[in-house]
């Protein structure tokens, strides 16, 4: 069943008419009114397209305008027995495409039990009781902060950026500078909390001092102070404590087609680029900086993992065929993702049902056909919901030279 999908016009989205979210949204629903464009830029930023049933942006069935969530409730067999047992009668995951043109907040997502607690206490802030582990596959060069740096690296930044001492306070700075492997985690936790709870005056004074000093330095010394990254963040969020997080959080520049998994309690911030994102069906975000939205620094600092983790950690990557790669997150059943790249002459790719529902999004410019049920030509921007137990056969179009990309989301059964 074809789906019409919701677009989110958050402030950090892209104004480039060629960005993925705008292009996919136009093609997903050709009847959607054209976006107004001024001076070559979209009037409304295009941040995300959502494929799923979350209440903040639910997809509808193209054939009759019914909510997918309603269809699933009325047809529980469409999600299969395993889904019913594990999650109830619902679609457990939410698929998105993001076009990020300015940094998203520094954030982490709670574990399931913690999400239930936060939702019960603060229902206006944490609007659902679910966890929100996330996986991304990049569609462009993609810059993000993810997890803490090794403590030895943070110690080096305390030396190359001595202004940090003021904002951390002598106690936290000294504890961190002198910690050993036994005390590293406690020292890091204390120092990061000191940073995130420092007064606005201290933070902006510290930022101004660093920025004015690095503006006169040579390239190598600027590199040791992460000057380019600091200036980039500061240009979007002047005076925000999140800018100083660059000295604590590991920055990654991912190439197109790379993947990462973000489990609960892992601190992260997307900075720029475009990606596919798959997550548990939730919108629970605990924010600490780089945002005009509500920050909950106390909750954030208490919940975080203070262990450095590699960008490829916590997931398995299986090359199923020449054209098809599967990404499996560790420790959760909510989702897994297949990334399929098809070109002219490739054999038919079959996506076998795992007993749960399947959601498909076509990203490539080429056409290809789907031959189960009514035969269908799948084009860029089209999204499908496939009932449990149905198999999907993807035939590359023999007329097309371009590579077609299809992402397929399923539960991790
Ligand atoms: Zn996140």
């Amino acid at each position: 069943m074809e789906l019409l999908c919701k677009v989110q016009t958050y402030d950090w989205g892209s104004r480039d008419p060629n960005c993925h979210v705008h292009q996919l949204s136009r093609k997903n629903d050709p009847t959607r009114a054209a976006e107004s464009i001024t001076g070559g830029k979209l009037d409304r930023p295009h941040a995300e397209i959502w494929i799923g049933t979350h209440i903040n942006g639910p997809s509808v069935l193209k054939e009759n305008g019914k909510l997918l969530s309603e269809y699933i409730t009325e047809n529980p067999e469409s999600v299969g027995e395993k889904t019913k047992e594990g999650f109830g009668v619902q679609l457990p995951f939410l698929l998105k495409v993001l076009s990020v043109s300015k940094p998203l907040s520094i954030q982490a997502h709670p574990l399931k039990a913690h999400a239930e607690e936060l939702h019960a206490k603060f229902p206006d802030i944490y609007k659902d009781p679910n966890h929100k582990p996330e996986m991304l596959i990049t569609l462009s060069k993609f810059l993000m902060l993810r997890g803490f740096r090794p403590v030895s690296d943070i110690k080096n930044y305390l030396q190359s950026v001595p202004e940090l001492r003021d904002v951390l306070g002598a106690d936290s700075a000294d504890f961190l500078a002198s910690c050993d492997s036994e005390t590293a985690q406690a020292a890091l936790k204390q120092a990061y909390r000191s940073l995130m709870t420092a007064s606005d005056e201290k933070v902006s004074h510290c930022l101004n001092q660093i920025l004015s000093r690095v503006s006169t330095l040579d390239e190598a010394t600027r590199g040791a102070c992460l000057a380019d990254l600091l200036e980039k963040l500061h240009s979007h969020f002047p005076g925000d404590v999140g800018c100083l997080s660059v000295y604590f959080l590991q920055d990654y520049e991912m190439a197109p087609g790379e993947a990462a998994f973000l489990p609960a309690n892992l601190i992260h911030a997307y900075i720029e680029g475009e990606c596919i994102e798959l997550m548990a069906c939730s919108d629970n975000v605990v924010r600490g900086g780089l945002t005009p939205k509500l920050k909950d620094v106390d909750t954030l600092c208490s919940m975080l993992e203070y262990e450095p983790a590699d960008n490829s950690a916590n997931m398995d990557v299986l090359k199923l065929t020449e054209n098809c790669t599967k990404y499996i997150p560790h420790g959760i059943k909510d989702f897994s993702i297949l990334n399929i790249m098809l070109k002219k002459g490739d054999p038919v790719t079959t996506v076998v049902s795992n007993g749960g529902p399947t959601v498909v999004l076509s990203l490539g410019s080429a056409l290809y056909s789907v031959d189960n049920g009514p035969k269908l030509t799948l084009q860029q921007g089209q999204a499908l919901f496939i009932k449990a137990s149905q198999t999907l056969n993807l035939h590359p179009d023999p007329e097309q030279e371009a590579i077609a990309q299809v992402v397929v989301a399923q539960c991790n059964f």
Side-chain angles (χ1 to χ4, degrees):
M1 288 182 292
E2 267 195 81
L3 300 174
L4 301 182
C5 304
K6 169 99 175 175
V7 172
Q8 307 287 7
T9 54
Y10 307 139
D11 183 53
W12 50 259
S14 174
R15 292 185 186 268
D16 179 354
N18 292 318
C19 73
H20 277 94
V21 173
H22 180 239
Q23 289 297 323
L24 292 171
S25 71
R26 283 177 57 225
K27 291 170 181 168
N28 176 258
D29 182 1
T31 66
R32 203 188 302 259
E35 287 293 319
S36 46
I37 294 176
T38 312
K41 298 278 178 202
L42 294 164
D43 284 353
R44 297 193 305 168
H46 276 51
E48 301 185 341
I49 184 162
W50 286 22
I51 304 120
T53 55
H54 194 280
I55 192 164
N56 290 355
S59 301
V60 301
L61 304 183
K62 187 177 181 182
E63 61 179 82
N64 56 17
K66 186 190 271 278
L67 286 170
L68 174 60
S69 53
E70 272 176 31
Y71 173 84
I72 290 172
T73 307
E74 290 165 12
N75 300 274
E77 75 287 353
S78 65
V79 295
E81 282 303 320
K82 282 193 214 167
T83 310
K84 274 195 254 177
E85 280 164 28
F87 303 95
V89 178
Q90 60 149 321
L91 186 66
F93 49 80
L94 175 60
L95 179 64
K96 299 180 182 177
V97 174
L98 275 63
S99 295
V100 179
S101 74
K102 64 185 202 184
L104 276 71
S105 48
I106 290 180
Q107 58 184 259
H109 308 291
L111 284 163
K112 182 95 174 72
H114 189 201
E116 286 167 7
E117 187 189 315
L118 289 170
H119 176 62
K121 270 197 209 159
F122 312 108
D124 293 341
I125 304 169
Y126 302 105
K127 296 200 174 168
D128 61 71
N130 203 7
H131 66 168
K132 187 177 177 261
E134 299 171 321
M135 182 172 268
L136 69 132
I137 300 174
T138 55
L139 292 168
S140 70
K141 194 174 87 174
F142 196 85
L143 202 58
M144 73 166 164
L145 302 173
R146 181 192 189 277
F148 284 95
R149 297 180 184 279
V151 169
S152 55
D153 292 2
I154 304 173
K155 285 183 182 185
N156 289 339
Y157 289 122
L158 279 179
Q159 309 242 323
S160 57
V161 189
E163 295 89 345
L164 284 172
R165 189 180 166 82
D166 266 352
V167 82
L168 296 181
D171 280 358
S172 295
D174 288 344
F175 185 20
L176 188 59
S178 63
C179 71
D180 56 22
S181 56
E182 294 269 293
T183 53
Q185 231 181 318
L188 175 57
K189 188 169 184 173
Q190 182 179 320
Y192 196 61
R193 185 181 280 274
S194 299
L195 174 73
M196 298 305 277
T197 53
S199 70
D200 291 350
E201 294 71 34
K202 268 195 178 165
V203 168
S204 90
H205 180 67
C206 175
L207 277 166
N208 290 339
Q209 278 188 314
I210 302 171
L211 289 162
S212 99
R213 181 168 65 83
V214 297
S215 66
T216 62
L217 296 177
D218 61 78
E219 271 312 305
T221 324
R222 277 174 58 82
C225 299
L226 298 172
D228 290 350
L229 189 53
L230 184 72
E231 287 166 354
K232 185 191 284 276
L233 296 185
H234 198 262
S235 70
H236 294 294
F237 292 97
D240 190 299
V241 66
C243 302
L244 293 172
S245 278
V246 297
Y247 300 112
F248 286 79
L249 307 184
Q250 188 69 54
D251 59 302
Y252 289 95
E253 185 177 303
M254 298 168 74
E258 283 189 61
F261 177 52
L262 306 165
N265 299 337
L266 179 79
I267 192 164
H268 59 281
Y270 297 165
I271 296 174
E272 63 186 17
E274 298 189 276
C275 70
I276 300 153
E277 201 184 33
L278 183 61
M279 66 208 65
C281 186
S282 169
D283 210 15
N284 281 328
V285 185
V286 184
R287 296 184 179 86
L290 303 181
T291 182
K293 294 184 188 169
L294 181 94
K295 297 177 190 177
D296 187 352
V297 169
D298 199 47
T299 303
L300 183 76
C301 289
S302 315
M303 69 194 268
L304 291 176
E305 287 290 343
Y306 288 90
E307 282 288 329
D310 186 77
N311 204 23
S312 59
N314 306 109
M315 66 174 177
D316 294 325
V317 180
L318 306 179
K319 189 106 182 134
L320 298 184
T321 67
E322 181 76 6
N323 317 95
C324 180
T325 309
K326 184 170 189 177
Y327 300 88
I328 305 170
H330 290 175
I332 59 154
K333 297 262 174 255
D334 306 60
F335 61 78
S336 64
I337 189 163
L338 291 167
N339 189 26
I340 300 169
M341 307 288 260
L342 292 178
K343 59 183 189 308
K344 186 171 162 177
D346 280 342
V348 176
T349 293
T350 299
V351 179
V352 181
S353 165
N354 63 1
T358 300
V359 165
V360 176
L361 175 67
S362 166
L363 289 132
S365 54
L367 311 174
Y368 31 104
S369 61
V370 176
D371 71 354
N372 46 326
K375 194 168 168 104
L376 166 73
T377 303
L378 192 59
Q379 306 200 40
Q380 184 183 26
Q382 277 182 299
L384 305 177
F385 172 77
I386 297 172
K387 288 185 261 187
S389 312
Q390 283 192 329
T391 295
L392 173 71
N393 293 315
L394 293 166
H395 299 252
D397 188 322
E399 306 300 318
Q400 281 285 349
E401 295 295 338
I403 289 179
Q405 182 176 11
V406 187
V407 290
V408 177
Q410 295 181 320
C411 293
N412 182 23
F413 294 142

